[in-house]
Amino acid sequence: AWLITREMSIPEMVLFSRYEAHPILWNLVIYPFAKLGASPYSMHVISYLLVAVSAWLFLFKTEINKIAKVLILFSVPFVYIFSSIARDYCLILFLGMIICVMYKSRYEHPVIYSLVVSLLVFSHAMAWGFVAGVTITFNIYEIVLTLMGKSRLSQKQFRGVVIGFAMIAVSSLFAIVTLAGERSK
């Protein structure tokens, strides 16, 4: 990832992502560091920082039982998979925690909430199930309720939900098209 980011432009990285089999958000995160000549070990520092912020959000901004928080925080995904492997996995955790923290205010800021979900699309294909779940349970659910005449959303909130759904749909299609392109050259 470091060499790809250091040697390629952003459009080249988008085209090359089909060979990498990962969306390009991680490359964009490390982009300034790679282009400025920082050490590849910077990826580890960035990964640890994102996981540390995620852990802080999890501990202090979520409403989960304290015992469950400790058990989850010291589980293999938190301690090893998301942090020590300097790849895009830390982005799944980081963006997932932001989504969890924003969940209660998703109706107040549906576009911002959906923007974070859209970014999650570009973190890793493993996160696409989570993206589908939060999109179905929020955006699509509210759109269907409105079509059935049962929604309690204001017109502004509904507009935000639809804009958010469009962002997630476009992001998902873009990620799929760039990753599924022809691989033989």
Side-chain angles (χ1 to χ4, degrees):
W2 189 264
L3 292 175
I4 290 168
T5 305
R6 188 184 74 192
E7 300 300 325
M8 293 183 175
S9 67
I10 292 174
E12 289 172 325
M13 285 190 295
V14 170
L15 292 173
F16 192 76
S17 65
R18 68 190 58 173
Y19 301 104
E20 185 65 355
H22 294 282
I24 67 161
L25 186 58
W26 179 244
N27 297 83
L28 295 176
V29 169
I30 64 175
Y31 187 84
F33 302 96
K35 291 296 185 185
L36 291 172
S39 165
Y41 290 107
S42 301
M43 291 189 305
H44 290 282
V45 173
I46 295 165
S47 182
Y48 288 132
L49 286 174
L50 288 173
V51 171
V53 170
S54 301
W56 184 85
L57 288 170
F58 180 67
L59 285 173
F60 301 110
K61 298 293 181 181
T62 60
E63 298 176 10
I64 298 174
N65 178 301
K66 290 179 183 180
I67 294 171
K69 283 183 181 182
V70 170
L71 291 173
I72 292 169
L73 193 61
F74 289 102
S75 67
V76 172
F78 242 108
V79 174
Y80 176 68
I81 296 172
F82 293 128
S83 61
S84 65
I85 301 172
R87 292 284 298 175
D88 46 7
Y89 308 113
C90 61
L91 294 172
I92 301 169
L93 182 64
F94 178 67
L95 293 168
M97 283 301 128
I98 292 174
I99 290 168
C100 290
V101 169
M102 290 184 70
Y103 191 75
K104 278 189 171 182
S105 64
R106 68 193 183 281
Y107 288 102
E108 296 166 33
H109 309 288
V111 174
I112 296 171
Y113 176 80
S114 298
L115 176 65
V116 177
V117 175
S118 296
L119 287 173
L120 190 58
V121 168
F122 293 106
S123 66
H124 196 285
M126 283 191 319
W128 292 355
F130 183 57
V131 168
V134 297
T135 303
I136 291 167
T137 59
F138 176 59
N139 302 82
I140 294 173
Y141 176 75
E142 290 301 336
I143 291 168
V144 169
L145 281 181
T146 300
L147 293 174
M148 294 172 50
K150 297 181 180 182
S151 179
R152 295 185 176 155
L153 297 181
S154 69
Q155 192 172 13
K156 181 181 177 184
Q157 287 174 314
F158 179 70
R159 200 172 28 246
V161 168
V162 171
I163 290 168
F165 178 69
M167 288 185 335
I168 295 166
V170 168
S171 298
S172 299
L173 286 172
F174 182 78
I176 290 167
V177 167
T178 57
L179 293 177
E182 185 179 322
R183 287 189 174 89
S184 60
K185 281 193 174 184

